[in-house]
């Protein structure tokens, strides 16, 4: 045997294992007993074993396994889209609430008497009286004080409207944020992995889905952007009134 015929041995190349497909952090194959689904094959009769006679509704029957497979795909699409919208809505509602609060802190001071301004006006009137006495003129010709501390303070109508609009706007945005948090918790509970036989998992999932429809969770999710738009409209209306006197 010639030297050039001797080929060096090569170590076998290890191929990385394909990543396991997960559903909300859990492997989709978890909980399946003794069967595996071929990729891109919806023919359940071909890849699921046939049930024995009289066991068509048993806890491990093929009907429950089909229900679990179809429900998992449906829930993944439904909850995934809802969660994305809730995340965006929660962040926007939090930032918007902070902006409205900063404006509201400033304008809420107009609803009560400004004692610093009142003190400055009274000092000015007192100075006018003293100057008149120094000049030798009578105090009869001196104008009366421009303000009366004993008089009840009445805020301006525009200030009342601005504060009312912004308080309602802040309240609605906080309601949206609270509702988004509650719905996210509900969806997390809805997609919690259900252990047990396929029959038990099917019944638990159906019970949770009926609760989702009973409490109109999807309608609540769809109403959150509308409420947020109303909150924005109220804020911009108050902002326009705020800049009118300026």
């Amino acid at each position: 045997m010639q030297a050039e015929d001797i080929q060096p041995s090569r170590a076998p190349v290890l191929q990385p294992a394909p990543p396991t497909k997960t559903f909300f952090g859990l492997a989709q194959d978890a909980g399946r007993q003794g069967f595996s689904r071929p990729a891109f094959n919806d023919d359940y009769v071909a890849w699921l074993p046939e049930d024995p006679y009289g066991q068509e509704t048993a806890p491990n029957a093929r009907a429950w396994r089909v229900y679990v497979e179809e429900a998992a795909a449906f829930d993944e699409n439904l909850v995934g889209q809802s969660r994305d919208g809730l995340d965006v809505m929660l962040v926007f509602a939090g930032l918007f609430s902070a902006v409205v609060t900063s404006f509201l802190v400033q304008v809420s001071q107009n609803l009560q008497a400004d004692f610093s301004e009142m003190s400055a006006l009274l000092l000015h009137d007192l100075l006018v009286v003293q100057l008149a006495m120094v000049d030798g003129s009578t105090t009869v010709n001196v104008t009366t004080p421009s303000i009366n501390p004993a008089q009840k303070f009445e805020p301006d109508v525009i200030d009342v409207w601005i504060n009312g609009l912004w308080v309602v706007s802040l309240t609605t945005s906080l309601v949206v944020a609270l509702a988004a948090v509650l719905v996210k918790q509900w969806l997390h509970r809805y997609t919690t992995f259900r252990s047990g036989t396929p029959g038990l998992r099917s019944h638990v999932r159906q019970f949770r889905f009926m609760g989702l429809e009973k409490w109109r969770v999807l309608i609540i999710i769809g109403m959150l952007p509308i409420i947020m738009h109303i909150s924005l409209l109220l804020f911009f209306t108050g902002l326009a009134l705020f800049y009118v006197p300026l």
Side-chain angles (χ1 to χ4, degrees):
M1 180 181 299
Q2 297 180 359
E4 57 272 13
D5 295 335
I6 301 176
Q7 299 293 334
S9 59
R10 297 181 179 178
V13 179
L14 299 179
Q15 298 293 336
T20 304
K21 189 176 182 181
T22 59
F23 176 55
F24 295 104
L26 299 173
Q28 287 189 349
D29 294 334
R32 299 178 182 175
Q33 302 178 359
F35 66 95
S36 60
R37 176 179 179 175
F40 308 105
N41 187 2
D42 292 334
D43 188 3
Y44 295 100
V45 178
W47 65 274
L48 284 175
E50 185 178 358
D51 298 323
Y53 179 77
Q55 299 294 325
E56 291 81 2
T57 57
N60 291 321
R62 180 167 57 186
W64 303 124
R65 297 179 178 181
V66 173
Y67 180 89
V68 170
E69 290 288 333
E70 294 296 332
F74 177 82
D75 293 341
E76 182 178 5
N77 183 38
L78 173 67
V79 176
Q81 294 179 356
S82 301
R83 279 184 172 177
D84 293 340
L86 288 173
D87 290 338
V88 175
M89 188 62 58
L90 185 59
V91 173
F92 181 78
L95 295 176
F96 179 73
S97 299
V99 172
V100 177
T101 302
S102 63
F103 278 88
L104 190 59
V105 169
Q106 298 295 327
V107 298
S108 62
Q109 300 176 2
N110 298 331
L111 298 179
Q112 57 185 357
D114 190 354
F115 294 102
S116 61
E117 182 180 1
M118 185 181 300
S119 300
L121 293 175
L122 290 175
L123 288 175
H124 178 267
D125 294 336
L126 180 60
L127 181 60
V128 171
V129 172
Q130 291 178 351
L131 291 175
M133 294 175 63
V134 170
D135 294 338
S137 59
T138 61
T139 58
V140 178
N141 298 326
V142 179
T143 57
T144 58
S146 56
I147 58 174
N148 184 8
Q151 185 179 2
K152 184 179 179 181
F153 174 76
E154 294 182 0
D156 190 36
V157 178
I158 295 182
D159 293 332
V160 175
W161 272 97
I162 293 174
N163 281 270
L165 290 172
W166 285 356
V167 167
V168 176
S169 176
L170 178 61
T171 303
T172 53
S173 64
L174 292 177
V175 168
V176 170
L178 177 61
V181 172
L182 295 177
V183 173
K184 280 179 64 68
Q185 292 178 349
W186 200 98
L187 293 178
H188 176 72
R189 179 62 179 172
Y190 176 76
T191 56
T192 302
F193 180 73
R194 300 172 289 270
S195 61
T197 60
L200 178 61
R201 294 166 60 188
S202 300
H203 284 82
V204 172
R205 187 266 171 191
Q206 182 63 26
F207 175 76
R208 294 178 179 177
F209 183 75
M210 291 172 61
L212 183 143
E213 291 187 331
K214 178 181 179 180
W215 291 97
R216 305 292 193 271
V217 176
L218 298 180
I219 297 179
I220 294 175
I221 296 175
M223 288 294 295
L224 293 181
I226 299 177
I227 300 176
M228 201 67 228
H229 292 161
I230 295 175
S231 180
L232 282 169
L233 179 62
L234 294 175
F235 173 74
F236 285 123
T237 303
L239 191 63
L241 294 177
F242 177 76
Y243 282 106
V244 164
L246 303 179

